[in-house]
Amino acid sequence: MQRFGERPTTWHWTAFLCTAPRNELEALTRDYPQRWHIEEFCNDHQALGWDRAGTQNLNIRYGHMTMALLAQAVLRRLRQRVGEPVATWEASHLARALLQGLEGEVRVSDETIVVTYYNAPQTEQLRQHYEGLPQKLRAENVNPALPWLYNYKLDFRFR
């Protein structure tokens, strides 16, 4: 059961289990192929916040799910670019093995925020995709200025 509402007078409940008179084993085996991609998604990305719900406020839950989906999309693209074996790691393993312990610095040069990483694993693959990012985006007819960063461009260096 899940309770919605903040005051007892506005509570309503949603059930996830039911007592309908049907064969559970048949329903599980029949629907399993359609459900499997959801199982894989939850297993691979639960560390991004899918494994918990901190509140029952619907607006906060939607915001939380939106940020988790954005993180999942960014990590998917990173996995594709870095390649094997990173491409098959679940989110928590990726965070520990690739992102944890990164050292770096952030500087502003002209209209560009330059992020320099030291001791990053898979340096050559990362360099190939992220160094010179504004020029690469322009080559794809994408404006490299980020409105949420006051129209600065973002570039990366790997040392």
Side-chain angles (χ1 to χ4, degrees):
M1 300 283 281
Q2 180 176 9
R3 186 190 79 194
F4 293 94
E6 295 187 15
R7 291 182 296 281
T9 57
T10 62
W11 285 351
H12 65 276
W13 305 87
T14 302
F16 295 104
L17 301 174
C18 70
T19 57
R22 63 178 179 208
N23 185 335
E24 299 86 7
L25 184 59
E26 181 182 319
L28 282 172
T29 55
R30 182 189 64 235
D31 298 335
Y32 187 77
Q34 290 80 25
R35 227 186 58 219
W36 181 244
H37 69 283
I38 296 169
E39 300 282 341
E40 286 180 327
F41 178 88
C42 290
N43 182 51
D44 291 345
H45 305 291
Q46 67 183 342
L48 299 176
W50 295 110
D51 58 345
R52 66 185 177 282
T55 181
Q56 294 179 10
N57 180 306
L58 196 55
N59 293 325
I60 294 172
R61 297 279 300 271
Y62 283 152
H64 182 187
M65 287 187 285
T66 300
M67 296 307 290
L69 284 171
L70 285 170
Q72 188 272 333
V74 168
L75 289 177
R76 180 176 185 273
R77 187 62 177 225
L78 177 65
R79 284 183 178 117
Q80 288 175 333
R81 290 184 170 179
V82 173
E84 294 296 334
V86 177
T88 57
W89 292 349
E90 63 184 41
S92 59
H93 183 196
L94 183 111
R96 279 191 315 274
L98 186 68
L99 304 175
Q100 184 178 12
L102 284 178
E103 297 177 12
E105 63 182 38
V106 177
R107 295 182 186 252
V108 177
S109 175
D110 298 322
E111 297 177 354
T112 305
I113 297 173
V114 179
V115 180
T116 304
Y117 286 109
Y118 302 100
N119 305 323
Q122 314 284 358
T123 303
E124 288 309 313
Q125 291 96 333
L126 293 170
R127 184 176 288 134
Q128 172 187 350
H129 294 289
Y130 295 104
E131 276 193 9
L133 189 59
Q135 295 82 2
K136 290 176 181 178
L137 291 172
R138 269 193 225 98
E140 296 178 10
N141 294 321
V142 175
N143 182 1
L146 300 168
W148 51 274
L149 278 177
Y150 304 102
N151 286 324
Y152 280 96
K153 299 171 199 81
L154 188 60
D155 201 0
F156 297 90
R157 302 283 182 270
F158 299 92
R159 306 283 184 247

